[in-house]
Amino acid sequence: MLLHYIMCFLVSMVPLIELRGAIPYAVGMGLDYFTALVICVIGNMLPVPIIYLFARKVLIWGMDKRYIGKFFTFCVNKGEHAGQKLTQKAGRGGLFLALLLFVGIPLPGTGAWTGTLAASFLDMGFKSATLSVCLGVVLAGIIMGVVSVTGVHVFGL
């Protein structure tokens, strides 16, 4: 049982999969949903300060490097695009709520990693960005939990 919780924690830290994959895993393994949600939120939020403080600098540094340049350029473009999209939809004043919803609606490529990178490209304050991403992660966890539990009951999985 403990191994499954550790797996949820680790899976929730992986980019692209994040909590969106860890919560269905927890539900599928029959783990306590609220305990799994807390563990997954912590795991998903653990990389956020590092991403906010360092990812942008590292990505910009690596854009012109021989072997990593294409990938780093892709990541920079994705972060800038996500930031522009958020600003267009919400303006500067509604950025907190827009980031929260961007991270909280569980679609591919809209998790804590991308949201935090977008916030750093928008020069959003650290505290504001972290709180917005954290609330978005909780929202995504609740949505994924409802969808996963409902799927288990409807499909008898």
Side-chain angles (χ1 to χ4, degrees):
M1 183 73 69
L2 178 62
L3 185 59
H4 291 299
Y5 283 112
I6 292 170
M7 191 65 152
C8 287
F9 178 79
L10 295 173
V11 167
S12 66
M13 289 175 36
V14 176
L16 299 175
I17 299 172
E18 302 182 35
L19 168 134
R20 291 152 172 76
I23 293 290
Y25 173 82
V27 170
M29 290 294 118
L31 303 177
D32 178 66
Y33 168 69
F34 292 105
T35 304
L37 178 64
V38 169
I39 289 169
C40 290
V41 167
I42 292 169
N44 203 178
M45 287 302 296
L46 201 59
V48 165
I50 296 163
I51 295 165
Y52 183 88
L53 296 172
F54 301 111
R56 179 180 176 184
K57 294 173 185 167
V58 171
L59 290 171
I60 290 171
W61 167 83
M63 286 175 68
D64 63 346
K65 302 302 182 255
R66 183 177 181 155
Y67 296 107
I68 58 175
K70 286 183 180 180
F71 177 69
F72 279 35
T73 301
F74 167 78
C75 292
V76 167
N77 291 338
K78 181 145 177 82
E80 286 177 346
H81 178 69
Q84 291 169 356
K85 203 175 193 181
L86 284 173
T87 305
Q88 286 174 352
K89 289 187 178 186
R92 265 327 251 180
L95 201 51
F96 182 89
L97 181 61
L99 182 61
L100 187 155
L101 293 174
F102 178 81
V103 173
I105 307 227
L107 297 170
T110 65
W113 283 70
T114 305
T116 304
L117 187 58
S120 74
F121 276 104
L122 291 170
D123 294 320
M124 195 172 173
F126 177 77
K127 288 180 184 177
S128 180
T130 303
L131 180 60
S132 181
V133 169
C134 184
L135 293 173
V137 166
V138 171
L139 176 61
I142 292 169
I143 291 170
M144 289 307 299
V146 168
V147 169
S148 298
V149 169
T150 304
V152 167
H153 292 303
V154 169
F155 297 110
L157 301 174

